[in-house]
Amino acid sequence: MAEMVDHKMKGRIVALMIMVLISQVLSASLHGCFTAPGQGQLRKRSAVHPTAVNAFGSSVFLPVSGNVYPLGYYSVTLRIGNPPKPFELDIDTGSDLTWVQCDAPCTGCTLPPDRLYKPAKKNFLACKDPICAALHSPKSHHCENPNEKCSFQVDYADHGSVLGFVVSDYFPLLLVNGSGLNPLLAFGCANRLQNGGPHPPPTTAGVLGLGKSKASISSQLSGLGLTQNVVGHCLSGQGGFLFLGADFVPESRMTWTLQNSSDKHYSSGPAELLFRGKPTGVNDLNVIFDTGSTYTYLTSKVYQTVLDRVRKDLSGKLQVVKDKALPICWKGTRPFESVQDVRHYFNTFSLRFTGARDIQLQLPPEAYLIVTEQGNVCLGILNGTEVGLGSSNVIGDISLQDKLVIYDNENLRIGWAVADCTCQLSGF
Ligand SMILES: *[C@@H]1O[C@H](CO)[C@@H](O)[C@H](O)[C@H]1NC(C)=O
Ligand SMILES: *[C@@H]1O[C@H](CO)[C@@H](O)[C@H](O)[C@H]1NC(C)=O
Ligand SMILES: *[C@@H]1O[C@H](CO)[C@@H](O)[C@H](O)[C@H]1NC(C)=O
């Protein structure tokens, strides 16, 4: 009896010590992410917690590698299967289904055969599975036989399509409280990669779909009661981090805007384009937050406005030059080394969200320019009408850098805070 009590007490003390240790590690390292340390306490139980998953530490934290230029994407490495194999996945808040190159067999795969995912019969999902239904909008063709294999196709705005079958397998993951998880998650086994359009697909093993439908990894983890349906990323010129769950939401530092719930993407609006803090006459923008896009795409008219403002600022200071990196570039008298060398020639744009509250997403020169290997400076904002994006404005990686961006699907909001994304979660 006494022994049992003693044992329990020890167990509790150890657990408490671990919790204290973890929260110190977390708050210490996340404090390092913000410019003015000491403010903005990490909230262990932030306002983001209306549902059942409440234990502090029930988030997944993943280091991100990549950059906007020259690589063009950001990725995480996840292990899949039993025994697990590692896959480098392009993180994409603009699509739902995670997929990996897959030997079923494959046409168009870029990975060597031994690095492909190899499905077994038992992995294939049937058409009647709710995840399969979530992938096929009611209008699009759905399978006739509910026991048929569930197939999928993802079309990307500027790099072709990916086709295959939906499968499910184990994803070993570590929660920040130290607990290991091994959930069965549904994803795409992609065995037909079709390269269309001007930009080839990334060279990763696949894509991590972080969108808001039931099929996304974040929704599946939350559906299983493992994490809250909150996705956060912090991207810099040298990688960054990604988290799933609500533990790292620095509530007091965040600027929030409402998600547009009638859009299938993470979108927000209406927004107004400002230049040097003043209206440009461009209003009512529908804005999509999409880490799957390297650059920012604006509809033709908005793009034209940006071009006009930038060109007027530069008038004669820099010379137009051709560079294979992007359509619009300039050179100086000497090659530039970084955006820091040119930022004084340019000004800050911002998006003012005019919905519930008047808030802004700042786009300083670093958020819309790159300096290429040739030492030219190029505009990282592109004409979305040219790639068929319709009336959507897509905020890509270039403009999401140096910010902690959070998609809170529990409270249907999107938020951001300026951050140093090179900070890492140490101790794990
Ligand atoms: C970590 O969190 C998960 C999910 O909330 C919970 O099931 C698990 O017991 C926690 N582990 C520890 C060590 O607290
Ligand atoms: C919300 O999304 C819908 C569907 O994409 C779109 O038609 C509408 O314009 C968006 N609303 C705002 C305010 O951006
Ligand atoms: C954007 O692309 C469309 C379609 O190709 C084109 O008609 C339009 O002129 C372009 N806009 C600008 C500002 O270049």
Side-chain angles (χ1 to χ4, degrees):
M1 205 42 201
E3 222 178 79
M4 260 184 72
V5 171
D6 191 34
H7 181 75
K8 264 191 196 156
M9 281 304 292
K10 263 190 205 153
R12 273 196 54 199
I13 291 166
V14 171
L16 269 172
M17 277 170 59
I18 290 172
M19 290 303 284
V20 169
L21 197 74
I22 288 169
S23 48
Q24 276 174 356
V25 171
L26 295 190
S27 44
S29 57
L30 278 193
H31 274 169
C33 302
F34 299 102
T35 37
Q39 295 165 29
Q41 289 294 316
L42 177 80
R43 299 220 175 150
K44 290 184 206 163
R45 302 266 175 117
S46 68
V48 192
H49 289 265
T51 55
V53 191
N54 267 317
F56 172 64
S58 52
S59 293
V60 175
F61 185 98
L62 300 162
V64 167
S65 48
N67 55 54
V68 169
Y69 180 87
L71 210 51
Y73 63 86
Y74 286 92
S75 64
V76 296
T77 297
L78 286 186
R79 293 177 309 139
I80 305 174
N82 185 18
K85 260 192 191 178
F87 293 91
E88 188 200 8
L89 306 176
D90 186 349
I91 59 175
D92 187 7
T93 58
S95 67
D96 295 315
L97 184 70
T98 293
W99 59 264
V100 298
Q101 295 187 28
C102 172
D103 181 11
C106 186
T107 55
C109 282
T110 56
L111 287 184
D114 63 317
R115 305 239 323 263
L116 296 172
Y117 176 76
K118 181 93 185 134
K121 247 200 187 111
K122 65 173 196 299
N123 297 111
F124 288 92
L125 236 62
C127 259
K128 61 185 174 209
D129 194 286
I131 299 274
C132 188
L135 284 172
H136 297 90
S137 64
K139 270 188 225 128
S140 80
H141 77 287
H142 196 38
C143 24
E144 282 143 33
N145 177 351
N147 296 316
E148 211 174 286
K149 281 178 189 163
C150 175
S151 63
F152 77 93
Q153 169 163 359
V154 191
D155 300 316
Y156 293 95
D158 61 351
H159 24 79
S161 17
V162 168
L163 292 88
F165 298 98
V166 182
V167 293
S168 73
D169 211 334
Y170 294 101
F171 280 63
L173 294 168
L174 191 62
L175 291 179
V176 292
N177 70 6
S179 285
L181 300 176
N182 202 10
L184 252 184
L185 302 176
F187 61 101
C189 150
N191 71 330
R192 272 172 68 198
L193 276 61
Q194 297 171 346
N195 184 1
H199 303 105
T203 53
T204 57
V207 164
L208 182 68
L210 298 169
K212 58 187 185 183
S213 100
K214 258 196 202 138
S216 80
I217 287 291
S218 37
S219 303
Q220 289 189 58
L221 286 173
S222 120
L224 292 169
L226 299 172
T227 61
Q228 292 208 41
N229 198 347
V230 175
V231 177
H233 59 69
C234 202
L235 310 175
S236 79
Q238 299 103 44
F241 60 86
L242 170 78
F243 60 77
L244 307 173
D247 292 308
F248 301 100
V249 180
E251 198 64 49
S252 66
R253 291 192 162 268
M254 300 299 296
T255 296
W256 295 106
T257 177
L258 297 176
Q259 285 187 22
N260 176 351
S261 52
S262 48
D263 199 315
K264 65 181 197 299
H265 295 105
Y266 289 121
S267 81
S268 201
E272 178 186 9
L273 182 73
L274 307 181
F275 181 65
R276 300 171 67 178
K278 304 221 171 60
T280 55
V282 172
N283 294 308
D284 278 330
L285 303 179
N286 185 30
V287 173
I288 294 174
F289 292 73
D290 180 7
T291 57
S293 174
T294 311
Y295 297 107
T296 288
Y297 291 84
L298 301 177
T299 55
S300 180
K301 183 179 152 243
V302 190
Y303 175 67
Q304 185 68 61
T305 304
V306 166
L307 271 183
D308 291 346
R309 300 291 167 140
V310 169
R311 283 177 173 150
K312 201 168 163 211
D313 266 359
L314 286 181
S315 60
K317 291 185 191 126
L318 298 177
Q319 204 186 325
V320 173
V321 67
K322 263 208 176 337
D323 189 307
K324 65 179 183 338
L326 283 168
I328 295 186
C329 302
W330 300 272
K331 65 171 183 179
T333 46
R334 273 181 298 152
F336 302 121
E337 270 167 27
S338 78
V339 176
Q340 287 311 311
D341 296 347
V342 291
R343 77 182 312 284
H344 60 281
Y345 295 118
F346 297 87
N347 280 294
T348 296
F349 287 93
S350 47
L351 289 167
R352 191 164 76 98
F353 293 86
T354 46
R357 275 168 52 215
D358 181 1
I359 53 163
Q360 293 186 15
L361 179 72
Q362 301 288 339
L363 303 174
E366 294 82 358
Y368 65 88
L369 298 171
I370 60 160
V371 164
T372 67
E373 278 157 358
Q374 281 67 43
N376 301 316
V377 57
C378 299
L379 185 66
I381 295 180
L382 303 170
N383 182 353
T385 309
E386 212 168 273
V387 293
L389 288 174
S391 62
S392 300
N393 297 281
V394 174
I395 305 297
D397 294 333
I398 190 168
S399 307
L400 297 171
Q401 290 180 101
D402 308 318
K403 293 176 182 78
L404 174 63
V405 180
I406 297 177
Y407 310 83
D408 175 2
N409 296 311
E410 304 283 351
N411 298 297
L412 297 179
R413 53 186 187 162
I414 299 176
W416 55 86
V418 171
D420 173 6
C421 301
T422 58
C423 64
Q424 284 292 342
L425 182 62
S426 50
F428 289 91

